[in-house]
Amino acid sequence: MNGNFFIWVKTTKMTSIKTNMQNCNVKKNITYPLSDAYDWEHFLSFQQKRLVEGMEWIRDKTYGRTFNSLNYRGYFEICPTKKGMSLSIQVNNPRFFEQVYQRIIKMFDLNVNLTYVEDFLSRQYPEIGISKGLRIPGVFSEFEAGLRAICGQQITVSAATKLFNQLVHRFGYMDNDGLVYMPLPIDMINSDLTVLKTVNSKKQTILALARWFMENDPESPDYDINNILSIKGVGPWTLNYIKLRANKDPDIWMGADLGIKKAIKKYDNFDHKNSCPWRSYLSIQLWNLI
């Protein structure tokens, strides 16, 4: 990346994110030690079907993406090595480097004792054949997870990815290197989303989601992601998707998902409650069987 990495093309929108922003880049290369398995091929395959052009990229075994908030922006790349996971992170505000680093660890599910989880699920469900190294594929924020979930309601993964790409490219940002950044809620609340090729009800749900995140501060002691159910068009499946992919809640059962419903039909007397407190990982295992 060259020295112009953080010069933005859509300068008219910069007024919305300048607060507390510094332009003093810090870049660090870190190896995160990992003793448990990580099925990286599975992760790359999952991401490949859902990539946002310019915001995410896969080069050989390396996955990379941009990230941003009201206080910082940057990018990272990650790939497996013999010693663990190799991370290269650049942030334009040094005060938030540790926060970003911890967010990435959480995003890639690196701090879970996966061997313990897999052994537990194997004992509870010997008939399934638990695969090794399947971790929860994360996203960078609750807002991103919510947008991806709403875009994906009642359509294929391919159609959902196309719609999400439209949304990011229309309301996000692009720098001089062609890197694309997620829109923030403030970038969307005053739009009618007419440019998006989807039904009006879905557009209204997306707008309501942006307004909800504008009005609810995750740093507030009163913040509760469960209150997102007040939005028309957001139900338990969407809430669980956010908890699974953004918050990495280990005990989310995605039983309302059509794919999981199909997967469990082949097993007699299947009871997802036997996987508590690791129902998220059972959900991932069942998705892998589809």
Side-chain angles (χ1 to χ4, degrees):
M1 304 297 172
N2 65 36
N4 293 326
F5 180 82
F6 291 109
I7 298 174
W8 293 62
V9 173
K10 294 185 179 180
T11 54
T12 55
K13 289 189 177 183
M14 281 300 293
T15 54
S16 69
I17 63 170
K18 279 185 176 179
T19 305
N20 298 323
M21 190 71 75
Q22 300 180 28
N23 287 299
C24 182
N25 294 345
V26 57
K27 184 175 182 178
K28 295 183 180 181
N29 297 316
I30 302 168
T31 297
Y32 188 94
L34 198 64
S35 57
D36 297 319
Y38 201 134
D39 189 339
W40 194 243
E41 293 296 334
H42 175 268
F43 168 78
L44 292 180
S45 176
F46 180 91
Q47 292 298 128
Q48 186 68 61
K49 300 182 182 72
R50 297 163 175 82
L51 284 182
V52 176
E53 184 178 358
M55 188 181 87
E56 301 173 281
W57 55 91
I58 294 175
R59 297 169 184 153
D60 296 326
K61 302 298 183 182
T62 298
Y63 169 80
R65 68 161 290 168
T66 63
F67 55 82
N68 57 300
S69 75
L70 286 171
N71 296 308
Y72 58 78
R73 56 189 181 269
Y75 71 94
F76 70 82
E77 291 188 321
I78 182 171
C79 66
T81 68
K82 292 181 179 179
K83 296 182 179 180
M85 301 301 292
S86 175
L87 273 165
S88 177
I89 308 170
Q90 179 162 314
V91 186
N92 75 324
N93 190 333
R95 292 195 298 117
F96 292 93
F97 184 91
E98 183 62 24
Q99 179 178 322
V100 169
Y101 176 53
Q102 294 301 324
R103 178 71 243 179
I104 294 171
I105 290 173
K106 186 175 183 179
M107 180 177 173
F108 286 88
D109 216 19
L110 299 182
N111 53 3
V112 65
N113 186 340
L114 194 60
T115 299
Y116 175 85
V117 175
E118 291 168 348
D119 288 346
F120 175 84
L121 293 178
S122 293
R123 290 193 300 271
Q124 299 300 105
Y125 304 96
E127 71 277 16
I128 291 181
I130 299 300
S131 298
K132 298 294 184 182
L134 296 187
R135 297 172 186 263
I136 302 172
V139 296
F140 199 77
S141 69
E142 289 180 333
F143 183 55
E144 179 183 342
L147 289 177
R148 286 182 182 268
I150 294 168
C151 285
Q153 290 174 350
Q154 298 180 329
I155 57 177
T156 65
V157 170
S158 176
T161 301
K162 183 177 181 180
L163 177 59
F164 189 59
N165 268 264
Q166 289 177 5
L167 187 153
V168 172
H169 290 161
R170 173 59 183 87
F171 298 101
Y173 305 88
M174 181 183 290
D175 67 19
N176 282 351
D177 291 328
L179 293 176
V180 176
Y181 298 78
M182 268 287 298
L184 301 176
I186 195 172
D187 302 314
M188 300 175 60
I189 57 174
N190 294 318
S191 172
D192 58 8
L193 304 187
T194 53
V195 297
L196 296 184
K197 298 178 181 179
T198 187
V199 295
N200 187 62
S201 59
K202 186 170 289 191
K203 294 177 186 177
Q204 295 308 309
T205 302
I206 290 171
L207 280 177
L209 183 79
R211 296 190 185 105
W212 190 91
F213 275 99
M214 280 292 295
E215 297 168 358
N216 292 270
D217 181 7
E219 302 300 323
S220 168
D222 299 323
Y223 179 80
D224 185 354
I225 189 61
N226 291 292
N227 293 333
I228 207 170
L229 292 173
S230 63
I231 298 175
K232 184 178 180 180
V234 172
W237 184 90
T238 301
L239 173 63
N240 284 340
Y241 185 95
I242 295 171
K243 289 181 176 181
L244 181 79
R245 297 205 62 199
N247 296 342
K248 294 305 182 74
D249 187 325
D251 198 29
I252 297 298
W253 171 240
M254 298 297 291
D257 184 86
L258 294 178
I260 288 183
K261 286 182 178 181
K262 180 180 179 181
I264 63 178
K265 282 184 178 180
K266 65 180 73 173
Y267 304 111
D268 296 329
N269 302 316
F270 184 89
D271 188 352
H272 69 86
K273 294 178 183 178
N274 292 337
S275 63
C276 294
W278 306 109
R279 286 181 292 181
S280 295
Y281 294 90
L282 177 62
S283 297
I284 296 299
Q285 291 285 337
L286 291 169
W287 268 327
N288 189 50
L289 299 176
I290 301 172

